Amino acid sequence: MKKTSTRLADGRELIYYDLRDDLVRDAVDRRPLERTVTTSEVRRDPLLGDSVAIASHRQGRIYHPPADECPLCPSQGERLSEIPDSSYDVAVFENRFPSLAGDSGRCEVVCFTSDHNASFADLTEEQARLVLEAWTDRTSELSHLPSVEQVFCFENRGAEIGVTLGHPHGQIYAYPFTTPRTALMLRSVAAHKEATGGENLFDAVLEQELAGERVVLETEHWAAFVPYSAHWPYEVHLYPKRRVPDLLGLDEDARAEFPKVYLELLRRFDRIFDGPHGEKEGAGEPLTPYISAWHQAPFGALEEFEGVSRDDFALHLELFTIRRTSGKLKFLAGSESGMNVFINDIRPEAAAQRLREVASS
Ligand SMILES: [Zn+2]
């Protein structure tokens, strides 16, 4: 892998990750771009104790541009995009319209491939491995910024969940605080450790799930299951079998096996809603919309979680779709949005069975 860091016309950082070591990336961004004035502000809710990023400058961002104006495709001739070069393998750049910026953290865009019409599931194992290396490197780099406490790599896929650009890409949010979901997990880990005299809750959950009926896929170094209390219609949690706090902790064996495992999970997601003979249920139905979210230990101090260190956290990926059945989405309605109580219409055991049925043969 070769990494080349450069700057866009308005000063934002752009990093190429290339499979070939002999590539020279010296194309210059020729656009007359002014630096976007960012006004991100993190406000803490006094009653809930959580934080909201107020980012009003995002109203001006680009929605659903035509394919020939895609800002994530490589630049071609006079068609200038966010990527000045005429090709790339994986490219990462600072978001022009970030939700978090300056003292409030940082937002980056990760372009998985220069092929506009592909999706992550179409990548080769070699390409997927390169994305893993980019996520790992960004986690390391961002963790060193003084304003950053937690790094979140994720992908939203599908217009149904509000993705505004069709080009295959993900994002990285570097937060200036420990996020509420991670804090909840750390509190549970602390309580379990205390109650059991030192047992790790992540290890206990993984062991229990692997012995049960919701396993979706298991390999030498990875395990995927639908959790006992899945919140979403189809939800899979993917863990490396050896607990590590973040992507940096993965050893070579786990890294080498990851692409095969992750690509298989994504391909199964695209088949969940197929008919019994492999045909798509709805004619012209878009691919399964999903959210894929890496959970990593925060880099800040963990004093508020008594007796817990970074190493007690378990890196894992949560992959879920908001689609319940062909053409029907799960909306976060009254109970979920109003009270944080999820109602799941699909039994996790049935979801796991479906995800095994659609395995690649
Ligand atoms: Zn594109």
Side-chain angles (χ1 to χ4, degrees), residues 111-293:
C111 303
F112 299 140
T113 166
S114 58
D115 181 357
H116 183 86
N117 295 310
S119 69
F120 200 116
D122 298 324
L123 300 184
T124 64
E125 289 186 19
E126 194 184 28
Q127 288 175 303
R129 170 73 192 251
L130 187 62
V131 176
L132 174 66
E133 297 309 328
W135 283 329
T136 306
D137 183 66
R138 296 319 300 152
T139 298
S140 170
E141 295 283 331
L142 291 167
S143 72
H144 292 116
L145 296 181
S147 62
V148 170
E149 273 207 19
Q150 192 178 344
V151 181
F152 176 42
C153 306
F154 65 103
E155 179 190 1
N156 298 328
R157 204 276 292 269
E160 288 154 290
I161 48 173
V163 179
T164 52
L165 297 170
H167 196 107
H169 73 287
Q171 301 182 68
I172 300 175
Y173 276 25
Y175 299 99
F177 49 77
T178 295
T179 61
R181 272 175 75 84
T182 304
L184 285 174
M185 288 183 202
L186 287 167
R187 265 179 225 122
S188 300
V189 167
H192 188 83
K193 197 172 181 179
E194 166 85 21
T196 58
E199 188 180 75
N200 184 279
L201 180 58
F202 285 111
D203 291 353
V205 167
L206 182 58
E207 194 186 319
Q208 213 166 25
E209 289 289 0
L210 282 179
E213 55 177 320
R214 290 178 300 275
V215 176
V216 169
L217 156 63
E218 187 180 355
T219 62
E220 196 180 347
H221 302 287
W222 294 86
F225 57 86
V226 178
Y228 170 67
S229 56
H231 289 54
W232 298 93
Y234 291 91
E235 171 177 342
V236 170
H237 293 191
L238 173 65
Y239 281 76
K241 285 188 179 168
R242 188 177 66 83
R243 171 163 45 89
V244 293
D246 52 38
L247 289 164
L248 302 167
L250 289 175
D251 61 20
E252 175 52 32
D253 287 344
R255 309 185 86 80
E257 206 186 49
F258 172 78
K260 186 177 70 172
V261 173
Y262 186 50
L263 290 170
E264 169 65 11
L265 282 179
L266 293 181
R267 288 166 189 165
R268 289 191 197 185
F269 260 60
D270 279 339
R271 291 193 286 258
I272 293 173
F273 303 104
D274 287 357
H277 305 294
E279 76 277 14
K280 291 276 167 208
E281 272 184 21
E285 178 148 66
L287 291 167
T288 307
Y290 66 72
I291 293 171
S292 175

Side-chain angles (χ1 to χ4, degrees), residues 70 72-73 116 167:
C70 173
L72 309 186
C73 277
H116 183 86
H167 196 107

